[in-house]
């Protein structure tokens, strides 16, 4: 009994230390965001390339620091695309945004309009060409996406969309929105599905970051030309099945 009590006490102490490290990491991450934004601002205003460099430098710093401060490593699987493609990714936490951005060459996100109000984040997102859409206004959002994507023309890069429209906890399910299929049809480009288990280590709206290896996996591209309904079914099956497998992998290793 005494041994069990000591084990519980040691476990509680480790959890508290991990929580404190996670809190310190969070402060560092956002302080660095503001610092990098100010440092790169004059260059980012002049050149979009410098805005990308600023964002990528900060993402690289966060990935490295997560490993050092809270023991959270990142593993990229599959082949991150370099050409003009649509990326449809599982979204579980802020960290998967950071990892995907750092993994591809010229990323742009379809993002919710509310993020424009976020200091620094919103301004840099617009500078690199992200496309804000209004939540809860499905028809209007789809029209705006199509219009804005059409305006970009050949300057597409890797257009990243979260098909479920919001962060979804590992093991949970929300419907996939048809806007992803609309963009797939409009662009006539391959779509690269992305699976992840990041949310197991970096939960939504929690301070605690669990140590371990978070995986972001770029799956085989879905070729252009499929009917929208078939595309959406294929996308959901691939992303959900692989994300569930990665979650099982994370649980087994914890």
């Amino acid at each position: 009994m005494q041994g069990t009590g000591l084990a519980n006490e040691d476990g509680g102490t480790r959890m508290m230390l991990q929580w404190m490290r996670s809190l310190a990491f969070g402060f560092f991450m956002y302080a660095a965001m503001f610092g990098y934004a100010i440092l790169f601002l004059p260059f980012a205003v002049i050149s979009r390339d410098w805005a990308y460099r600023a964002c990528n430098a900060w993402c690289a710093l966060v990935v490295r620091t997560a490993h050092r401060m809270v023991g959270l490593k990142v593993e990229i699987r599959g082949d991150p695309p370099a050409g003009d493609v649509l990326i449809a990714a599982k979204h579980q936490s802020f960290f998967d945004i950071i990892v995907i951005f750092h993994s591809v060459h010229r990323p742009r996100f379809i993002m919710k309009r509310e993020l424009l109000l976020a200091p620094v984040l919103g301004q840099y997102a617009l500078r690199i060409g992200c496309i804000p859409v209004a939540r809860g206004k499905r028809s209007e959002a789809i029209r705006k996406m199509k219009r804005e994507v059409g305006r970009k023309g050949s300057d597409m890069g890797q257009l990243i969309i979260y098909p479920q429209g919001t962060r979804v906890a590992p093991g949970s399910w929300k419907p996939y929105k048809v806007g992803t299929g609309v963009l797939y049809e409009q662009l006539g480009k391959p779509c690269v599905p992305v699976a992840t288990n990041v949310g197991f280590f970096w939960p939504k709206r929690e301070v605690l970051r669990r140590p371990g290896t978070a995986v972001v996996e770029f799956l085989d591209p879905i070729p252009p030309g499929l009917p929208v309904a078939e595309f959406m079914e294929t996308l959901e099956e691939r992303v959900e099945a692989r994300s569930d497998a990665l979650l099982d992998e994370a649980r087994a290793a914890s």
Side-chain angles (χ1 to χ4, degrees), residues 67-85:
H67 184 193
R68 293 171 183 170
M69 292 186 70
V70 296
L72 178 55
K73 298 181 288 186
V74 170
E75 180 181 347
I76 304 298
R77 296 182 186 172
D79 298 317
D84 290 348
V85 296

Side-chain angles (χ1 to χ4, degrees), residues 10-23 208:
D10 289 344
T13 300
R14 287 195 299 270
M15 182 66 72
M16 178 59 68
L17 289 174
Q18 185 68 18
W19 191 92
M20 292 173 65
R21 285 192 290 265
S22 299
L23 183 63
L208 182 66

Side-chain angles (χ1 to χ4, degrees), residues 177-236:
K177 299 178 183 296
V178 74
T180 305
V182 171
L183 286 184
Y184 165 80
E185 183 178 51
Q186 177 187 358
L187 294 169
K189 300 287 185 181
C191 175
V192 177
V194 177
T196 189
N197 61 10
V198 166
F200 178 80
F201 303 96
W202 187 308
K204 178 180 178 181
R205 297 196 184 99
E206 290 187 22
V207 172
L208 182 66
R209 308 290 178 240
R210 295 188 180 98
T213 301
V215 178
V216 170
E217 183 169 354
F218 293 86
L219 308 177
D220 291 339
I222 301 173
L226 295 180
V228 170
E230 182 181 348
F231 163 75
M232 292 298 298
E233 182 179 354
T234 301
L235 174 67
E236 182 172 349

